Amino acid sequence: MEINDLILLHEKIDIILKDYIIIPSSLDNGDFLNSYGETVEFKCSFLTNLNRDINVRQIRSYQTDIKYYYVFTVDFLDYTNIRYKTYKLTKSQMLQELNLLNAKPCHSTKGANLSNINVEVGFAIKYGSPNFKRWENTYLLENFDIKSISINKVSK
């Protein structure tokens, strides 16, 4: 992928975000409302020649209204052919993954988190591992058109 392709990808993402309503962080419940009024959370992980893990961080399982999680990956292994993928999970699927992948707290110490009921957790999936293959088969949006995550315009 060349620089022009990256610019085009960035423009596509900007177009999508225009179709979403940003949820203020002070409400502590997701990133955006989609065109159906559903709360969605976006996560992004960058893969390089040094780091081949999909890292998903700051999952707030206590946020009750999340409908979908979109996990975007950008693979920079070959800078002449940058690849991106999108995985889509429901809230219940993400909760299952937190258990299956043994999610750990992202911040603070173990002792401090004992008294914190709202702990942000995260996990990593090794590229090519059985969990990676399961994610590819279960959650990957194949032939993903980045506009597909927003079907209708949100009236502003």
Side-chain angles (χ1 to χ4, degrees):
M1 184 179 283
E2 295 183 17
I3 191 69
N4 289 338
D5 295 325
L6 284 174
I7 291 168
L8 181 59
L9 175 61
H10 186 271
E11 289 172 356
K12 286 182 178 181
I13 291 171
D14 284 347
I15 289 168
I16 288 169
L17 295 181
K18 289 177 186 167
D19 290 345
Y20 279 65
I21 297 172
I22 296 171
I23 297 174
S25 60
S26 61
L27 295 180
D28 197 22
N29 200 25
D31 292 326
F32 302 96
L33 286 177
N34 67 13
S35 58
Y36 296 111
E38 299 164 329
T39 305
V40 299
E41 184 90 6
F42 288 177
K43 299 296 177 190
C44 188
S45 183
F46 297 97
L47 292 91
T48 67
N49 61 334
L50 298 176
N51 176 24
R52 301 303 295 158
D53 293 349
I54 297 174
N55 290 292
V56 182
R57 300 286 182 246
Q58 295 181 297
I59 299 295
R60 300 168 189 95
S61 59
Y62 56 87
Q63 293 180 333
T64 57
D65 293 333
I66 305 290
K67 178 77 174 185
Y68 297 110
Y69 292 87
Y70 288 94
V71 178
F72 301 98
T73 62
V74 182
D75 191 341
F76 291 99
L77 183 62
D78 177 358
Y79 284 97
T80 63
N81 187 25
I82 296 171
R83 298 173 188 227
Y84 68 95
K85 294 181 180 180
T86 303
Y87 304 87
K88 180 181 179 183
L89 292 79
T90 65
K91 169 75 173 198
S92 63
Q93 289 170 325
M94 181 58 82
L95 292 176
Q96 290 172 346
E97 291 298 330
L98 294 179
N99 288 326
L100 285 170
L101 298 170
N102 197 24
K104 302 282 188 221
C106 293
H107 308 290
S108 198
T109 65
K110 186 175 182 179
N113 280 331
L114 289 175
S115 60
N116 185 354
I117 60 171
N118 294 333
V119 177
E120 297 177 356
V121 297
F123 55 84
I125 302 170
K126 292 216 174 288
Y127 192 88
S129 71
N131 283 323
F132 174 83
K133 292 173 185 170
R134 183 173 53 78
W135 266 57
E136 292 276 295
N137 292 328
T138 308
Y139 307 121
L140 180 65
L141 295 179
E142 294 199 33
N143 302 319
F144 177 66
D145 174 2
I146 201 153
K147 288 188 176 187
S148 71
I149 65 170
S150 180
I151 298 168
N152 298 319
K153 298 276 187 199
V154 173
S155 37
K156 300 191 180 190

